[in-house]
Amino acid sequence: MASIGASAAVHADFGSGTWDGGPIGIPVTTVPAGQATVRVSFQYADESDPGPYPVPANAAIEGGPSSTGDRHVIVYDPAHCRDYELFAARPLSGGAWQAGSGAVYDLRGNRLRTAGWTSADAAGLPILAGLVRYQEVAAGHIDHAIRITVSHSRNSYVWPARHAASDSSDASLPAMGLRLRLKASVSLAGLPAQARVVARAMQQYGVIVADNGSPWYLSGAPDSRWDNDALHALGTLTGSDFEVVNTSGLMVSPNSAQVRH
């Protein structure tokens, strides 16, 4: 906990409006049935699902078309219940795309990626599953763990993660896939409504270390209906308000995300 940042504040890395010319958060592009598939070439092809991917030419890119950041592209195909994710994605002429890495998830099952494989995320996990979305908060509950980033991780991963992204063997650093939980003793009474729903999910389902980045940054999808001031209130929570959770007893199989109840 000290290595992540006991005094560092929680930050909602999503919201309404724009920042540096792009949407605040990781956008999700939902495609219709029959969306044409395109070829995607990968820098890390040996750890990427080859596709093809149903990525439209106007797919939303994290940070906007001119972003110099992670440039994640998340495509949700409800007709086939699949999630297509790209890292460092850039459109090419003719409709094709290039990316650093890519992963395809069948949302009807629990199969994890091949052990040791990255995804569009450093931990080899699906990004979509860990995003905070406005529709969930508006409904009053988030029923899953939330994706977070940490400044430094170690060269290790724990279930359900499949990939590490560090050269360090320092045991004080968090492994990819580490689950942390907002302590039950932390009062949520003073938080605005939107922030309170997010915090309640962090008490019930926790957060999962998914990538290297700024400490305690929560991932979510941009939406014009977010109240940025309310989300900023999550900054009253710090690393010392969290505890590490040993989830090994929940595991049914190391190759499955299915859990014991």
Side-chain angles (χ1 to χ4, degrees):
M1 300 302 296
S3 70
I4 299 173
S7 61
V10 171
H11 176 75
D13 196 23
F14 57 93
S16 62
T18 60
W19 178 261
D20 283 345
I24 308 172
I26 303 177
V28 178
T29 300
T30 301
V31 295
Q35 172 66 43
T37 58
V38 298
R39 180 181 60 84
V40 182
S41 56
F42 296 105
Q43 179 181 358
Y44 305 107
D46 59 334
E47 294 183 17
S48 296
D49 294 321
Y53 288 64
V55 185
N58 64 345
I61 300 171
E62 179 188 12
S66 302
S67 171
T68 58
D70 286 346
R71 296 182 62 90
H72 287 115
V73 167
I74 312 296
V75 174
Y76 170 49
D77 178 3
H80 299 94
C81 206
R82 289 182 179 271
D83 167 30
Y84 298 83
E85 302 190 352
L86 303 175
F87 162 70
R90 295 184 181 276
L92 303 174
S93 60
W97 286 71
Q98 66 179 18
S101 56
V104 180
Y105 296 94
D106 184 346
L107 301 178
R108 296 165 295 190
N110 292 304
R111 183 180 64 85
L112 298 175
R113 294 181 63 69
T114 300
W117 278 28
T118 188
S119 58
D121 217 356
L125 294 170
I127 296 172
L128 176 63
L131 293 181
V132 176
R133 288 165 288 154
Y134 176 80
Q135 293 87 341
E136 299 172 307
V137 172
H141 55 94
I142 298 171
D143 299 325
H144 59 80
I146 299 171
R147 175 187 186 269
I148 68 158
T149 57
V150 296
S151 295
H152 304 286
S153 60
R154 72 174 184 262
N155 186 20
S156 179
Y157 61 89
V158 295
W159 178 84
R162 307 298 271 174
H163 183 262
S166 172
D167 294 326
S168 176
S169 59
D170 185 349
S172 70
L173 295 173
M176 286 293 158
L178 183 70
R179 189 178 298 234
L180 305 125
R181 178 173 57 198
L182 186 63
K183 295 175 183 176
S185 60
V186 176
S187 173
L188 312 183
L191 293 174
Q194 289 188 0
R196 191 163 59 250
V197 174
V198 177
R200 191 180 302 120
M202 293 193 293
Q203 281 185 328
Q204 185 171 3
Y205 297 100
V207 297
I208 295 182
V209 176
D211 204 352
N212 297 313
S214 297
W216 300 111
Y217 269 42
L218 306 175
S219 298
D223 196 290
S224 61
R225 295 166 290 183
W226 286 124
D227 181 336
N228 288 343
D229 289 337
L231 295 178
H232 289 160
L234 289 167
T236 59
L237 304 172
T238 66
S240 61
D241 293 319
F242 288 78
E243 58 193 355
V244 175
V245 180
N246 181 353
T247 58
S248 59
L250 298 175
M251 184 175 62
V252 174
S253 164
N255 296 316
S256 172
Q258 184 181 1
V259 299
R260 290 190 176 93
H261 296 286

